[in-house]
Amino acid sequence: MTKDVEMAARNGNGNGAFAGENFAYELPGGDADFDDDGKPRRTGTVWTASAHIITAVIGSGVLSLAWATAQLGWVVGPVTLMLFAAITYYTSGLLADCYRTGDPVTGKRNYTYMDAVASYLSGWQVWACGVFQYVNLVGTAIGYTITASISAAAINKANCYHKNGRAADCGVYDSMYMVVFGVVQIFFSQVPNFHDLWWLSILAAIMSFTYASIAVGLSLAQTISGPTGKTTLTGTEVGVDVDSAQKIWLAFQALGDIAFAYSYSMILIEIQDTVKSPPAENKTMKKATLLGVSTTTAFYMLCGCLGYAAFGNGAKGNILTGFGFYEPYWLIDFANVCIVVHLVGAYQVFCQPIFAAVETYAAARWPNAGFIVREHRVSAAGNNKRFGFSLNFFRLTWRTAFVVVSTVLAILMPFFNDILGFLGAIGFWPLTVYFPVEMYIRQRRIHKYTTRWVALQTLSFLCFLVSLAAAVASIEGVTESLKNYVPFKTKS
């Protein structure tokens, strides 16, 4: 390998992410430190993959589930959570089988979601996948910036309410917190690749468990001690809580929020590319998916149902920052700190595929450009390599620019529930259902109009209708929110 191509292989994913092409590496005689594709040996396990999944799945979406359940009611709400969990688990298994083309153990690796689509499908579907995946990843980065700032602001508000009473004006501007979050992400974004983020994902997963548990505990305490809000089998009541049109829009938006809460398929292949073999990567990933989805579903059911039981049809859009809970204020502060720490890690889990895609494309397009491919070793303690880090000027420049742009966009559009619903809507059907189903049909050579083909296409079509309805409802919600919003001047 040339030095430049080797550098691209080590720092990126080693693939042409936008064109679906893979670099091929040949190492004379082989090397115990490298995998069959010439890249440094992968070391991921069921536990590290599960940590990545939990970090990606138990995110800001869990905080809106009490509100989503309130829009759907005691019957449809829990059933919808279980259906989305089942669909996500099933289609994730189909997608995991597509990591390698051909033989699941020795076939050609697909380093990214787009590579997998390019291996099984072709033409417009590859580019459509890229648009949906990367737009959703960018949108998630914006959504997490909004959520982290709201949680940081809630710490200040909780202390204010405790000191001055619940009637006090404790509204704060979120913009400053978004800027601080962006600065933190500029530093973390310099972590070269996904493989080096395992420790951040584990920390973030612990944080997500912590604040989800606090939300469940506070909801349970509120349900037992009271007072509790009014709940119904059908959720918010027409003529009492909302009018008929609002009921429909909010119900569809709730579906988008639930879809967002389960969204991680867009980075499944990238997570799988961190897993060691043997055992076969698809087997490890299916175990990790089962562990991750079942764990998150348990938390989701508890947060959604107990949150609804505690606050009824008046449940807040964000259970920990909407101030249904005021005391104990220190516990609410701690929960929101956990949210912020978790979202620092989750932001990176979703952004690393974007970073790798751009950088590997640039390295393939300009392999001799020193600004793009050259790594500069910076030592923090003289010549001691153990305390140094690698600096690449292209990585520093473009990743910083990405964080700045996503932060500015978050400042301009800080609508928590509407943004979550829209992201869930535009990402769920194509990335979680359509492409895995189509690749599975191609992989297994399922003939048209057979029972299995009809069942898979029916599942895909029904999920498309759900995504379409949720997207329209979320756009309507953003439109309504914009009527009363003034950039940089509206308090949360």
Side-chain angles (χ1 to χ4, degrees):
M1 291 190 294
T2 67
K3 182 178 180 181
D4 290 337
V5 174
E6 181 181 4
M7 198 66 69
R10 289 177 179 274
N11 295 327
N13 280 344
N15 66 293
F18 288 95
E21 66 172 337
N22 295 322
F23 295 130
Y25 310 110
E26 294 184 4
L27 295 174
D31 193 318
D33 294 329
F34 294 87
D35 273 327
D36 56 350
D37 59 346
K39 294 180 64 176
R41 184 165 298 281
R42 296 158 178 84
T43 58
T45 64
V46 170
W47 297 108
T48 60
S50 298
H52 283 311
I53 292 172
I54 292 170
T55 298
V57 179
I58 300 185
S60 54
V62 70
L63 304 173
S64 68
L65 293 180
W67 177 88
T69 306
Q71 311 314 310
L72 301 173
W74 277 122
V75 178
V76 178
V79 169
T80 301
L81 282 169
M82 295 302 297
L83 283 175
F84 272 91
I87 292 170
T88 300
Y89 172 70
Y90 175 69
T91 57
S92 294
L94 304 183
L95 187 56
D97 286 333
C98 298
Y99 172 66
R100 289 183 182 265
T101 303
D103 189 273
V105 178
T106 61
K108 180 181 74 69
R109 295 175 185 266
N110 296 304
Y111 301 110
T112 70
Y113 200 129
M114 280 187 69
D115 285 343
V117 173
S119 295
Y120 290 97
L121 308 175
S122 60
W124 66 270
Q125 294 184 88
V126 179
W127 290 100
C129 171
V131 170
F132 280 115
Q133 182 183 14
Y134 291 106
V135 166
N136 207 265
L137 288 171
V138 172
T140 300
I142 296 170
Y144 281 179
T145 302
I146 295 170
T147 309
S149 68
I150 292 174
S151 294
I155 297 172
N156 187 25
K157 291 168 70 176
N159 295 335
C160 174
Y161 284 129
H162 177 73
K163 181 179 180 180
N164 301 316
R166 300 182 184 181
D169 180 12
C170 294
V172 296
Y173 296 110
D174 295 334
S175 302
M176 178 186 68
Y177 297 101
M178 293 186 193
V179 171
V180 173
F181 184 80
V183 171
V184 171
Q185 291 301 340
I186 288 175
F187 285 98
F188 277 102
S189 67
Q190 298 310 309
V191 175
N193 55 55
F194 217 153
H195 305 279
D196 296 327
L197 281 175
W198 62 269
W199 63 272
L200 187 58
S201 282
I202 291 176
L203 174 62
I206 293 172
M207 294 296 101
S208 64
F209 278 126
T210 302
Y211 71 72
S213 298
I214 291 172
V216 169
L218 290 173
S219 297
L220 180 61
Q222 183 80 14
T223 302
I224 293 173
S225 62
T228 58
K230 179 183 179 182
T231 64
T232 61
L233 292 178
T234 57
T236 52
E237 296 180 288
V238 175
V240 178
D241 304 301
V242 292
D243 60 37
S244 56
Q246 287 177 320
K247 175 67 176 179
I248 296 172
W249 289 124
L250 293 175
F252 285 148
Q253 187 178 319
L255 294 179
D257 282 10
I258 294 174
F260 178 81
Y262 279 106
S263 294
Y264 83 99
S265 296
M266 69 191 88
I267 57 172
L268 185 146
I269 296 294
E270 284 81 354
I271 293 174
Q272 193 166 344
D273 192 46
T274 68
V275 173
K276 65 181 179 181
S277 178
E281 297 91 351
N282 62 334
K283 293 182 178 179
T284 299
M285 199 63 194
K286 288 178 181 179
K287 291 179 180 178
T289 298
L290 177 60
L291 180 61
V293 172
S294 60
T295 301
T296 55
T297 300
F299 272 98
Y300 284 1
M301 292 293 287
L302 289 171
C303 285
C305 294
L306 285 176
Y308 181 46
F311 300 110
N313 296 337
K316 304 293 183 178
N318 185 322
I319 194 170
L320 287 175
T321 63
F323 287 95
F325 301 116
Y326 289 88
E327 298 291 344
Y329 78 98
W330 57 268
L331 185 58
I332 296 169
D333 285 353
F334 178 66
N336 280 297
V337 168
C338 291
I339 293 172
V340 174
V341 173
H342 168 252
L343 292 179
V344 168
Y347 183 102
Q348 289 300 316
V349 168
F350 279 94
C351 288
Q352 283 292 331
I354 304 173
F355 298 156
V358 172
E359 287 156 23
T360 52
Y361 174 80
R365 180 68 177 83
W366 299 283
N368 297 316
F371 177 77
I372 294 176
V373 300
R374 186 169 296 129
E375 295 288 327
H376 303 271
R377 187 68 185 175
V378 179
S379 179
N383 294 323
N384 191 334
K385 295 182 178 180
R386 297 178 65 182
F387 296 96
F389 62 93
S390 183
L391 178 66
N392 175 279
F393 289 124
F394 177 66
R395 182 168 66 235
L396 175 64
T397 303
W398 114 259
R399 292 190 183 190
T400 300
F402 174 88
V403 173
V404 170
V405 171
S406 65
T407 302
V408 171
L409 291 175
I411 292 172
L412 293 175
M413 197 167 50
F415 312 126
F416 179 76
N417 278 79
D418 300 325
I419 296 298
L420 294 193
F422 183 72
L423 292 174
I426 64 172
F428 178 73
W429 174 69
L431 299 175
T432 302
V433 182
Y434 174 78
F435 288 115
V437 164
E438 292 299 315
M439 287 191 288
Y440 178 78
I441 290 174
R442 185 68 59 88
Q443 182 187 61
R444 299 303 173 92
R445 296 181 173 86
I446 300 173
H447 296 292
K448 284 187 175 182
Y449 308 118
T450 59
T451 301
R452 181 181 292 182
W453 185 90
V454 171
L456 288 170
Q457 295 294 352
T458 300
L459 171 65
S460 181
F461 179 70
L462 292 176
C463 290
F464 167 73
L465 294 180
V466 171
S467 288
L468 180 63
V472 173
S474 296
I475 292 172
E476 193 275 340
V478 170
T479 302
E480 287 296 317
S481 298
L482 284 171
K483 293 179 180 179
N484 301 314
Y485 175 69
V486 179
F488 307 106
K489 294 183 178 180
T490 302
K491 293 184 177 181
S492 66

